[in-house]
Amino acid sequence: MKAANKQLAEWDAELNQLHERNGDLGLKVQMLEQELKEAQRDRQTNKNSAPTVAEFPEPADLLNQLKARRKKSRADLADMEVVLEILSYAQEQD
């Protein structure tokens, strides 16, 4: 009988430890959920305050800037037009 009571006391102590740990994890989950909500709210605020249309340079100006920085670049005006189209598309997706 003493052995059974001792075993029950050990299980009771272990159960209390698990309850404490579970409570701590629940608190951490709540904190992380709150942090996530704040991050989402901040992201939405930033997204709403960002300009909706970016001003990109003209393709010829962009090509001239590239050539000024990278003399041996093989890009041409058509390449710059495609790059600007890609950037415009990427901006629309945000």
Side-chain angles (χ1 to χ4, degrees):
M1 187 75 160
K2 281 186 177 183
N5 284 339
K6 184 179 178 182
Q7 183 66 40
L8 285 174
E10 289 175 7
W11 286 346
D12 193 38
E14 187 177 339
L15 183 60
N16 285 337
Q17 289 176 343
L18 290 173
H19 280 301
E20 287 178 21
R21 184 172 175 229
N22 187 27
D24 291 344
L25 291 175
L27 182 60
K28 285 182 183 179
V29 167
Q30 287 177 347
M31 289 169 44
L32 290 172
E33 285 175 342
Q34 183 63 31
E35 204 174 306
L36 177 61
K37 286 178 185 177
E38 289 173 10
Q40 288 173 334
R41 191 170 37 249
D42 291 346
R43 182 177 183 269
Q44 189 62 38
T45 301
N46 289 342
K47 191 175 179 181
N48 290 342
S49 65
T52 56
V53 176
E55 294 295 324
F56 295 116
E58 291 296 316
D61 295 333
L62 187 59
L63 180 60
N64 289 336
Q65 290 176 24
L66 176 64
K67 294 289 185 175
R69 291 183 187 179
R70 298 194 55 170
K71 305 266 188 244
K72 294 183 180 182
S73 175
R74 297 181 192 162
D76 60 14
L77 189 57
D79 294 330
M80 293 301 104
E81 290 170 348
V82 171
V83 168
L84 292 172
E85 286 176 22
I86 292 169
L87 290 174
S88 295
Y89 177 76
Q91 183 187 17
E92 290 172 6
Q93 298 305 310
D94 289 336

